[in-house]
Every structure is written in C-alpha cells, then in structure tokens.
C-alpha cells in the first residue's frame, strides 16, 4: 500500500512538472501531458530496475548520460 501511495505522489509531481514544461516550451502542441508523464515515469522505473538488477551493465553513470542525451534532444 505504501509503495502505491509513493508511486502516486511521484507521478503527481512528475505530472505537474510535465504540465509546466509543456506549457512553456516551443514546438508542436497537442501532446497528451498525462500520457507523457506516465511514459517518463515508466521509463524511470525501468531504468531503476536495470540499475538494481544488473549494476555492472547499467551503472548510474550510463543511465545519467543516456538521460542527458535524450533530454538535450528534446530542447
């Protein structure tokens, strides 16, 4: 139950951040903010699982570098 509550809190915070970001960016409009936030959340959970289950192949630095590269492409 606690995990579900924490996930809901984190998704709410991410949704607020993506709502703000989408409202303040230039580029195409009409992106579904809820689906975008849920997609980012799912990717983050997957990355955390990879790091925890196979830290030698997916170290923190690798995931951080990947995230920075992806985010720089969204500018």
């Amino acid at each position: 139950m606690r995990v579900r509550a924490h996930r809901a809190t984190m998704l709410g915070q991410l949704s607020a951040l993506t709502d703000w970001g989408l409202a303040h960016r230039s580029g195409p409009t009409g992106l579904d903010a809820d689906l975008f936030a849920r997609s980012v959340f799912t990717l983050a959970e997957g990355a955390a699982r990879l790091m925890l289950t196979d830290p030698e192949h997916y170290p923190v630095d690798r995931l951080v570098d990947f995230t920075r590269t992806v985010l720089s492409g969204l500018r």
Side-chain angles (χ1 to χ4, degrees), residues 7-56:
R7 288 180 85 235
T9 298
M10 292 184 337
L11 183 57
Q13 292 172 345
L14 182 59
S15 291
L17 179 62
T18 55
D19 285 344
W20 178 88
L22 290 172
H24 289 87
R25 71 171 175 76
S26 60
T29 58
L31 184 63
D32 187 314
D34 177 57
L35 288 176
F36 182 67
R38 289 175 183 278
S39 296
V40 170
F41 189 75
T42 299
L43 290 171
E45 281 189 320
R49 267 190 224 95
L50 290 173
M51 185 184 63
L52 291 172
T53 59
D54 192 358
E56 287 185 30

Side-chain angles (χ1 to χ4, degrees), residues 36 63-75:
F36 182 67
L63 297 171
V64 168
D65 290 344
F66 173 78
T67 302
R68 283 189 178 134
T69 302
V70 169
L71 291 176
S72 71
L74 294 175
R75 290 185 189 161

